[in-house]
Every structure is written in structure tokens, then in C-alpha cells.
């Protein structure tokens, strides 16, 4: 649809595989490749807002393709050879009102 092309990122989904001795869930993470994700540095306003809301520093903002239906809340993401962690809830626009291929965005912080 457009000439703008995103990159592939790895989204780590968690699945509960059991419980430990204290009845806390044990999770296993599996990497899923998500194609056509736009990555841009977070603006200074977004960084300040995230620091004021939850004390986390947003490094990048990811634009998620319209056809993606994965959960991006509290997830690990890998791109540029490093791991990142999503901050807060993804912001989603009305799909039919947006002319390009992306309708969601989520911010990430440095992880690990």
C-alpha cells in the first residue's frame, strides 16, 4: 500500500508452563517474528510523560502493523541486536481512518 517499509522485530510471548513450590506461575518465552514494524526514537515529550507516570525512560516508539493481533503489553521485544521491554498500554487508532499500514504504537525501554 505504501512505500514506507518497516523492519522485522522479535516479540517474545509468554506461556505458563507450570508453578513453582510457592504456587507462582512459571513462564516460557517463545520468539515470534513480526514484520513491517516502524521504529523511531521517542520524542522528548513522550520521554518526560513516561518518567512522570511510571519512572521508566522511553527510548523508542514502535508502530505496529494493522494486521497484527499479538499482545504488546508488558512484553520483551528484540531489535537492533538488543532486547527492549514495552512500557504501558499500546495506543491504537481507528484502522479505517488511517491511510498507512500501521494503527498501533507502543513505547519501549532498554531491557537487561
Amino acid at each position: 500500500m505504501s512505500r514506507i517499509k518497516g523492519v522485522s522485530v522479535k516479540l517474545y510471548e509468554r506461556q505458563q508452563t507450570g508453578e513453582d513450590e510457592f504456587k507462582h506461575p512459571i513462564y516460557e518465552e517463545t520468539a515470534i517474528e513480526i514484520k513491517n514494524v516502524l521504529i523511531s526514537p521517542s520524542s522528548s515529550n513522550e520521554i518526560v510523560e513516561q518518567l512522570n507516570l511510571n519512572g521508566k525512560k522511553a527510548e523508542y516508539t514502535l508502530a505496529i502493523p494493522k494486521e497484527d493481533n499479538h499482545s504488546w503489553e508488558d512484553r520483551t521485544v528484540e531489535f537492533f541486536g538488543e532486547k527492549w521491554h514495552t512500557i504501558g498500554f499500546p495506543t491504537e487508532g481507528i484502522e479505517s481512518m488511517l491511510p498507512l499500514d500501521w494503527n498501533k504504537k507502543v513505547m519501549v525501554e532498554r531491557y537487561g
Side-chain angles (χ1 to χ4, degrees):
M1 176 178 187
S2 65
R3 293 184 182 195
I4 301 172
K5 296 290 181 197
V7 297
S8 294
V9 301
K10 289 182 185 176
L11 173 68
Y12 288 86
E13 287 198 332
R14 294 183 306 183
Q15 294 180 355
Q16 186 173 346
T17 58
E19 292 181 338
D20 64 9
E21 303 84 35
F22 300 106
K23 303 291 184 192
H24 293 105
I26 298 173
Y27 294 102
E28 182 178 308
E29 288 188 333
T30 56
I32 299 171
E33 184 178 8
I34 309 294
K35 296 181 180 183
N36 199 22
V37 175
L38 296 180
I39 302 170
S40 67
S42 296
S43 70
S44 58
N45 287 343
E46 291 172 327
I47 293 170
V48 170
E49 286 175 13
Q50 284 302 318
L51 278 171
N52 288 338
L53 288 174
N54 54 25
K56 297 181 179 182
K57 184 180 179 198
E59 297 283 339
Y60 289 100
T61 302
L62 307 181
I64 313 301
K66 290 179 180 177
E67 67 272 2
D68 182 74
N69 57 4
H70 294 95
S71 173
W72 289 82
E73 182 182 341
D74 192 30
R75 295 287 187 256
T76 302
V77 182
E78 187 176 348
F79 58 90
F80 298 155
E82 297 181 20
K83 288 193 176 181
W84 309 84
H85 193 265
T86 60
I87 302 172
F89 301 102
T91 307
E92 188 169 351
I94 301 171
E95 191 171 314
S96 62
M97 302 293 280
L98 298 170
L100 297 176
D101 294 338
W102 306 270
N103 71 326
K104 289 182 240 175
K105 69 177 186 174
V106 65
M107 288 182 271
V108 295
E109 67 174 336
R110 183 75 172 93
Y111 184 70

